[in-house]
């Protein structure tokens, strides 16, 4: 049984930040917010030291065990919510579909003006979560993880970059924009810690190395 419900008390500030950011999100003419700011490098190092190191096991994984996307606000589902949050001058129709706007993908430094060029990346991939402990969760818990707009877990990025990343961890894949890597690993560790997910030895080694440079 994951311990992330007990750990919610450790994320009060992050939760409040997410709620505050959501106020007016769909009322204003534009949005230019991005990934919720992850914990500091020092905190991430402390979190990382406490994570269980274990061999990953993908037995039984299927993406549909993590239901996406769910309604977040009004007619807006998770994808539409993140597109609105991460874009600038985003215009949506009555179904909350983005019809125009501008999006900067921090993984590769590209800017897009068509929402169809963006994927919503699960920073900690769904398969990685399964490998690391989510196989023991209920479907409701996996749905909460897959649609978490409060933690730094969902971000709009270039679609083919997201597809290239696939289910790889930081020992296997990192954003090509090197200046974003510190943010990426801090977010990765925060999400794994909050959801009480394990790390494998290569993953922990890579995270330790990247955090040392933050």
């Amino acid at each position: 049984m994951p311990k992330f419900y007990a750990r919610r008390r450790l994320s009060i500030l992050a939760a409040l930040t997410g709620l505050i950011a959501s106020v007016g999100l769909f009322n204003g003419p534009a949005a230019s917010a991005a990934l919720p700011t992850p914990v500091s490098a020092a905190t991430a190092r402390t979190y990382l030291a406490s994570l269980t190191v274990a061999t990953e096991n993908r037995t039984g994984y299927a993406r549909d065990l993590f239901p996406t996307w769910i309604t977040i606000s009004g007619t807006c589902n998770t994808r539409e919510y993140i597109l609105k949050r991460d874009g600038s001058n985003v215009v949506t129709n009555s179904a909350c579909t983005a019809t125009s706007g501008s999006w900067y993908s921090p993984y590769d430094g590209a800017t897009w003006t068509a929402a169809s060029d963006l994927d919503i990346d699960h920073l900690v991939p769904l398969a990685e979560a399964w490998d690391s402990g989510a196989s023991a969760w209920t479907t409701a818990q996996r749905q909460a993880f897959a649609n978490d707009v409060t933690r730094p877990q969902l971000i709009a990025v270039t679609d083919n970059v997201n597809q290239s990343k696939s289910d790889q961890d930081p020992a296997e894949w990192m954003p090509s924009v090197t200046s974003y890597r510190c943010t990426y690993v801090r977010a990765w560790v925060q999400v794994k810690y909050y959801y009480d997910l394990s790390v494998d030895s290569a993953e922990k080694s890579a995270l330790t190395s990247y955090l040392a440079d933050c």
Side-chain angles (χ1 to χ4, degrees):
M1 175 68 67
K3 300 186 179 99
F4 59 84
Y5 289 111
R7 282 190 174 153
R8 287 176 193 249
R9 67 182 183 276
L10 299 175
S11 302
I12 293 173
L13 180 59
L16 288 173
T17 300
L19 287 170
I20 291 167
S22 68
V23 175
L25 183 62
F26 297 98
N27 297 323
S32 57
L35 188 76
T37 302
V39 296
S40 69
T43 298
R45 286 190 285 268
T46 299
Y47 284 1
L48 179 59
S50 74
L51 295 181
T52 299
V53 178
T55 302
E56 296 182 349
N57 184 353
R58 192 158 299 184
T59 303
Y61 170 73
R63 186 180 175 85
D64 60 9
L65 294 171
F66 293 79
T68 56
W69 301 113
I70 63 171
T71 299
I72 298 295
S73 176
T75 61
C76 303
N77 68 21
T78 313
R79 172 181 166 82
E80 294 157 346
Y81 181 98
I82 297 299
L83 285 172
K84 182 80 170 177
R85 184 198 72 185
D86 289 2
S88 298
N89 302 313
V90 178
V91 176
T92 58
N93 61 22
S94 60
C96 201
T97 302
T99 57
S100 64
S102 177
W103 293 268
Y104 172 78
S105 170
Y107 287 2
D108 59 329
T111 298
W112 304 97
T113 56
S116 58
D117 288 321
L118 283 299
D119 277 355
I120 306 305
D121 180 44
H122 290 95
L123 194 137
V124 174
L126 303 182
E128 169 70 22
W130 178 273
D131 299 348
S132 308
S135 59
W137 297 354
T138 65
T139 299
Q141 289 165 340
R142 288 192 289 266
Q143 176 176 286
F145 176 84
N147 298 276
D148 187 349
V149 299
T150 302
R151 259 61 54 185
Q153 162 65 349
L154 295 171
I155 185 170
V157 298
T158 303
D159 53 5
N160 61 0
V161 171
N162 180 53
Q163 291 151 26
S164 176
K165 171 187 171 181
S166 186
D167 56 11
Q168 299 177 92
D169 69 31
E172 304 158 325
W173 186 93
M174 286 291 285
S176 61
V177 175
T178 56
S179 61
Y180 196 71
R181 290 178 176 177
C182 181
T183 299
Y184 186 83
V185 294
R186 285 158 46 214
W188 183 284
V189 172
Q190 179 179 343
V191 171
K192 283 232 161 172
Y193 179 84
Y194 181 81
Y195 285 99
D196 198 28
L197 296 169
S198 64
V199 290
D200 64 37
S201 56
E203 176 188 356
K204 182 172 184 177
S205 178
L207 290 166
T208 300
S209 178
Y210 285 116
L211 285 171
D213 294 330
C214 286

